[in-house]
Amino acid sequence: MRALIINCTLKPSPQDSNTHALASVVADALRERGVEVDDVRAVDLDIKPGVESHMGPGDAWPEVREKVLASRILVIASPTWLGRPSSVAQRVLERLDAMIAETDDDDVPLAYNRVAGVVVTGNEDGAHHVVSEIAGALGDIGYTVPGQAWTYWHLGPGPGPDYLEERRGHDWSHKTGRAMAANLVGVARALEATPLGAPPE
């Protein structure tokens, strides 16, 4: 089984990413369950705006899409900015939107029988809102989002230190991240054994 983590930080490589650091906890927990994990830092790529699978010359999304389709598990990891997912996360979700209208040879939507989860970081409150926005979008696209398939870290309202600068709260975020990984793998295996069929007419 394969998983893909799309890191939607605003920080290009090689800058340290708080979001990557917390998502790595989930990645390690997935690997412990025998899952192969790949990751993409979306801001490093020229992902064109749009809601199609390919937006023309120079669009980096088709390469990411191949990794999405090769994975049974998708994790969207985003910082919180202005109480919302990052602009990069919104761009990624808009490109995933094309999957709503795409089906396999049996007319099963491409996102069916795949599971998804969410990782959020930030030093201000709003993590639950970001989780709900991303998880809701992934559900619309066709992904199954298991219960508690998310983790986050923040220190409450107002400015403060980053995840990589502050140890407070890590134990809870990591424990929740390990539970997230277990739930993603459990539901992915269940769907693999008993897959969803094409939607009724």
Side-chain angles (χ1 to χ4, degrees):
M1 185 177 295
R2 297 189 62 85
L4 175 65
I5 298 175
I6 303 181
N7 179 5
C8 298
T9 178
L10 301 183
K11 299 174 182 176
S13 300
Q15 293 184 49
D16 289 336
S17 164
N18 298 291
T19 305
H20 171 77
L22 183 54
S24 294
V25 174
V26 177
D28 289 344
L30 288 168
R31 291 188 182 101
E32 289 173 4
R33 289 165 173 77
V35 179
E36 296 180 46
V37 182
D38 194 5
D39 66 88
V40 169
R41 190 180 291 206
V43 74
D44 289 342
L45 306 174
D46 187 9
I47 298 173
K48 305 292 186 185
V51 291
E52 304 294 337
S53 293
H54 198 306
M55 296 303 299
D59 184 17
W61 180 253
E63 181 181 344
V64 178
R65 182 177 180 273
E66 287 184 13
K67 295 180 179 182
V68 168
L69 296 180
S71 303
R72 287 289 166 186
I73 298 171
L74 175 65
V75 174
I76 302 294
S78 175
T80 305
W81 288 110
L82 300 173
R84 301 180 61 83
S86 73
S87 57
V88 176
Q90 183 63 29
R91 172 74 54 90
V92 167
L93 292 170
E94 287 168 351
R95 296 308 301 273
L96 286 168
D97 180 80
M99 293 175 69
I100 293 175
E102 297 172 336
T103 61
D104 64 16
D105 292 339
D106 297 316
D107 293 325
V108 178
L110 291 186
Y112 274 31
N113 302 308
R114 303 174 192 272
V115 300
V118 186
V119 171
V120 179
T121 56
N123 59 18
E124 295 188 60
D125 205 351
H128 277 285
H129 176 74
V130 174
V131 168
S132 66
E133 282 209 10
I134 295 175
L138 291 166
D140 284 348
I141 292 162
Y143 279 90
T144 296
V145 181
Q148 291 192 325
W150 49 263
T151 189
Y152 67 85
W153 180 91
H154 71 80
L155 286 180
D162 291 336
Y163 172 86
L164 288 169
E165 301 169 339
E166 172 63 63
R167 299 301 304 174
R168 284 181 294 167
H170 281 212
D171 288 347
W172 182 89
S173 296
H174 293 184
K175 178 181 178 181
T176 308
R178 291 190 293 270
M180 167 185 173
N183 293 348
L184 285 169
V185 172
V187 174
R189 288 176 176 159
L191 287 169
E192 195 171 47
T194 309
L196 300 170
E201 294 292 337

